[in-house]
Amino acid sequence: MKGKTFTSAIVDFPPNARAMPHRHGQAFVYAYVLEGTARSKLDDKPVTTY
């Protein structure tokens, strides 16, 4: 899409790891869990397990 940028990254979390709360500005974020599960909480929404 003109005026948009796509950036990708592979993030490898060891078991029971946590990321500090953070923001991605106005970005729309896609994530794929390739192995295991990941729990995510966004704003005031409930925790979701992927």
Side-chain angles (χ1 to χ4, degrees):
M1 213 174 197
K2 188 175 181 178
K4 302 291 181 181
T5 300
F6 179 85
T7 302
S8 65
I10 295 174
V11 181
D12 188 7
F13 285 105
N16 300 312
R18 292 178 177 228
M20 296 299 295
H22 61 281
R23 299 209 175 268
H24 293 266
Q26 297 296 317
F28 190 85
V29 177
Y30 284 94
Y32 294 94
V33 178
L34 301 178
E35 184 177 333
T37 59
R39 295 176 63 207
S40 179
K41 181 165 179 17
L42 301 173
D43 297 324
D44 60 348
K45 297 177 183 167
V47 173
T48 302
T49 300
Y50 299 96

